[in-house]
Amino acid sequence: MKAFLAFLKIDLKLARRNRAVLFFNYLFPLIFFFAFGFAFGRFGSGIILVMTMVTTIGILGTGFFGAGMRAVQEREENILRRYKVTPITPVPLLCASIAMGVILYIPTVGLMLFLAHNIFGMAYPANWFSFLVFVCLGVAAFRALGLIIAAVVNSSQEGNILIQIIYMPMLFLSGASFPLSLMPDWLKLVTQFIPASYLVTGMAGILQRGETVAQNAKSVLALIVTMLVGLFIATNSSAGRKRKPCGPPPSSGSWSFCCPSFCWAVIKPGAGRS
C-alpha cells in the first residue's frame, strides 16, 4: 500500500507537467462536448445522447492516450528507468496509474454535467452515484488496456500506431459515434467483442433510462473482466520487459484488447447489444 500511495503521489505530480495528459483528460472531451452540444443538444433529449457519447470518448482518450502514450513517453525519457533496479513489482505502479486516471477524469465529468445542466437544460442523473461508479469503472478498465500498449511497444511511434488501430474501431463500432440499432445484424455481432460497446450500453442505461449499476450488471461485469485481464497482461508484460529491456513485439499484446469481451460474448450472447 505504501508503494501504491507513493507512486500515486508521483504520478499526480508528473501529470500536472504533462500537456498530453491535461489535453486528453480535460480539453479533448470539452471540445467534443461543445461541438456536439451546440449541434444536437437543443433537440429534445439530444444533450443526453451527447453526454453519453462525449463521456465515452473521454474515457477512451484518457485510457489509450492518457495512460498508454504517457507511459511510453516516460520510458523514453528514462523516468521509469529508476524502477528497474528496485525490488518493487509492476503492480503498484500500474494500479497507481489507473487510480490517477480516475482522479483526473472525474472533475471533467462533473464539469460537463454542470455545463449540460446550465447551458442545455439537461437534468442531473437520477442515479448519480451509479453514474459515478460506472464512470470510475470505465476509466479503470480502459486505462488497464492502455497500459498494455505501454508494456508491449518499444517507441512512441509504435505506440501511436497501435493506439489508432485499436482506438478507431472502438470509437466507431461501440455505439459512441452512432447508435448500434442502425448497424446490420452481422456488425452488431462484432460489437460484442469490443469492450467499449459495454461501456456505451451501461452509460446509456444510466443516463438515458435512469437505471442503476445493478440493472447494468452485464456491462459492469464485462468492464471488470476487461480491467482485470488488462491489468494481468500489463503486469506480466512489464515484468518481462524489466527482465529483458527490448520487450516483446507490439503484436504480441494486441489480441488482449478483445479477449475480455470475447469471453463475455461467448458466455452471454447479446450482452453488448443496445
Side-chain angles (χ1 to χ4, degrees):
M1 181 59 69
K2 291 183 179 179
F4 166 76
L5 294 176
F7 282 131
L8 179 59
K9 183 178 180 180
I10 294 173
D11 283 344
L12 290 173
K13 289 183 178 179
L14 292 176
R16 294 199 300 266
R17 306 173 187 173
N18 193 314
R19 295 180 180 179
V21 173
L22 299 178
F23 175 80
F24 285 107
N25 277 280
Y26 299 102
L27 186 58
F28 185 70
L30 290 177
I31 291 175
F32 283 95
F33 174 81
F34 284 112
F36 291 111
F38 284 109
F40 308 105
R42 299 186 182 276
F43 299 96
S45 60
I47 186 58
I48 301 180
L49 298 175
V50 170
M51 190 67 192
T52 302
M53 175 177 60
V54 174
T55 303
T56 301
I57 293 175
I59 291 175
L60 293 178
T62 190
F64 293 123
F65 294 98
M69 284 303 299
R70 175 176 176 267
V72 174
Q73 292 171 355
E74 288 182 352
R75 188 173 67 239
E76 290 183 336
E77 295 171 359
N78 294 325
I79 295 178
L80 302 180
R81 183 180 296 273
R82 70 193 68 176
Y83 301 133
K84 292 184 177 181
V85 296
T86 65
I88 300 175
T89 64
V91 176
L93 179 62
L94 299 177
C95 290
S97 178
I98 292 175
M100 180 204 67
V102 173
I103 293 173
L104 291 180
Y105 188 67
I106 289 302
T108 305
V109 176
L111 177 60
M112 289 192 296
L113 286 174
F114 176 80
L115 295 174
H117 176 73
N118 289 276
I119 297 178
F120 302 104
M122 187 192 85
Y124 288 114
N127 296 300
W128 63 269
F129 182 75
S130 292
F131 176 69
L132 179 63
V133 170
F134 194 81
V135 168
C136 293
L137 181 58
V139 173
F142 284 92
R143 284 190 73 89
L145 293 184
L147 291 173
I148 298 177
I149 295 176
V152 302
V153 302
N154 297 312
S155 66
S156 295
Q157 291 78 9
E158 291 180 359
N160 188 50
I161 293 174
L162 185 56
I163 285 176
Q164 296 298 335
I165 292 175
I166 298 167
Y167 176 80
M168 298 308 292
M170 286 195 180
L171 180 62
F172 290 107
L173 298 180
S174 63
S177 301
F178 53 90
L180 295 177
S181 59
L182 300 179
M183 298 181 182
D185 291 337
W186 67 269
L187 197 54
K188 290 180 181 179
L189 179 61
V190 174
T191 63
Q192 296 184 29
F193 299 86
I194 300 178
S197 63
Y198 299 91
L199 176 65
V200 174
T201 301
M203 196 78 64
I206 294 174
L207 279 180
Q208 300 174 22
R209 298 185 292 273
E211 297 174 352
T212 64
V213 169
Q215 291 174 298
N216 290 274
K218 294 179 181 179
S219 295
V220 170
L221 181 57
L223 291 179
I224 291 176
V225 172
T226 300
M227 178 183 65
L228 294 178
V229 174
L231 185 60
F232 174 78
I233 296 174
T235 300
N236 289 338
S237 299
S238 299
R241 180 179 286 276
K242 186 174 181 179
R243 293 189 297 268
K244 187 178 180 181
C246 63
S251 59
S252 65
S254 59
W255 64 272
S256 59
F257 293 91
C258 292
C259 177
S261 286
F262 173 78
C263 298
W264 183 245
V266 171
I267 297 173
K268 286 285 185 180
R273 298 185 183 184
S274 60

